[in-house]
Amino acid sequence: MRYTAPLTLALAASVTAVDFSGSHDANSSVWSSVPNLPASASPSRLWNRPFKRQSGWNPPSNLANALKEVWDHCMSTYSNFWGFKNYGWDQIHATGGKINVCVRWESSTAVTEAQRAQVASVYAAQYQKWFSWLYGYDNFPYSKIDVNVVGWAVRDKSLLQGSTSGITVYTDKDADGIPQCSEACGRFFHQDGNYNSCPGGASAHYDHSLWLTDGFGGGAGGDWGQRIGREYFMGALGSSDVHILLHEMGHTFGLDDFYDWTPTGQTNFIMNAGSSTVITDFDGWMLRNWWNGLSRNRGWQ
Ligand SMILES: [Zn+2]
């Protein structure tokens, strides 16, 4: 069942979360076959970028069959594939190509201003590894998606060392007592785009959250954002590819897991948890498949 309210998320009664990662991603053994800290020297994959504008669906012939298997599998197993309206795609459509992120700091460890800046830049850089597959592809309307951390939720404001100018600091808690960014300002809770109850209004809203949780060994991802271990992420800030985060970001944009099957001829790719530390061509084309299909269904092109 894909449309589940994650146990760890406190949800307004009327809101349904989609947690594509299910429970498997949170099992740290899933990720043990790849290094926790990929080498920072990983070469950037410049060849991923399209050389010219392309329209329509034109995957490489060696990937086409497997991509069709994946797409068909999603269509037949997602319970509300087209009707669900809070994919990452819907979020960037609503904002005109921006993602505002709020960090949920589920830790009593202090975090410096410099560390927060690094969290923001590394997080944004991971998203760009996905989005580089979209810029210039099949009428994708944005040439740069700005990803900004606009808020932090903490147990105590004193954990945020240095200046907090430029971010909103929240000390709200969810039903489980976990720091959370104000529901009044979160798209997850206001999918109609009405942020009238948010101090600062729509311009102060956030689209989804990054949970950084002490002692969390794996990951989780969905329309609400991504959740990874605090120690894992803070230890990976010098890494080029934060692979668990990359995987969970894929879920935010609708991509599926592959715990129970793999497409013909494809075994190592970021969405097959624990099999790759980088976004592969196959991952990139799965993302493009979503744009190709959803943009037409939604009437975005
Ligand atoms: Zn997953």
Side-chain angles (χ1 to χ4, degrees), residues 129-146:
K129 288 170 184 282
W130 279 114
F131 297 148
S132 67
W133 280 91
L134 302 172
Y135 300 144
Y137 174 70
D138 189 22
N139 303 312
F140 188 71
Y142 313 115
S143 57
K144 174 77 192 299
I145 295 177
D146 286 323

Side-chain angles (χ1 to χ4, degrees), residues 123 126 210 226 228 233 242-249:
Y123 182 85
Q126 303 308 301
L210 169 65
Q226 306 89 32
I228 53 177
F233 191 46
V242 184
H243 69 95
I244 301 178
L245 179 57
L246 288 171
H247 175 105
E248 305 306 341
M249 285 172 162

Side-chain angles (χ1 to χ4, degrees), residues 14-98:
S14 61
V15 178
T16 302
V18 59
D19 187 3
F20 291 100
S21 62
S23 60
H24 294 286
D25 289 10
N27 179 352
S28 60
S29 68
V30 164
W31 308 95
S32 61
S33 59
V34 293
N36 280 334
L37 300 178
S40 59
S42 298
S44 65
R45 295 170 60 82
L46 293 173
W47 58 88
N48 285 347
R49 296 182 185 139
F51 294 108
K52 59 186 178 186
R53 295 191 70 87
Q54 306 170 54
S55 291
W57 183 238
N58 50 6
S61 58
N62 63 320
L63 304 180
N65 288 343
L67 288 164
K68 184 173 189 319
E69 289 174 4
V70 171
W71 187 253
D72 290 347
H73 187 83
C74 290
M75 293 284 278
S76 65
T77 58
Y78 285 27
S79 63
N80 191 20
F81 187 93
W82 299 116
F84 184 76
K85 295 289 176 60
N86 198 36
Y87 296 118
W89 305 101
D90 297 298
Q91 299 180 26
I92 59 173
H93 179 74
T95 60
K98 292 181 194 160

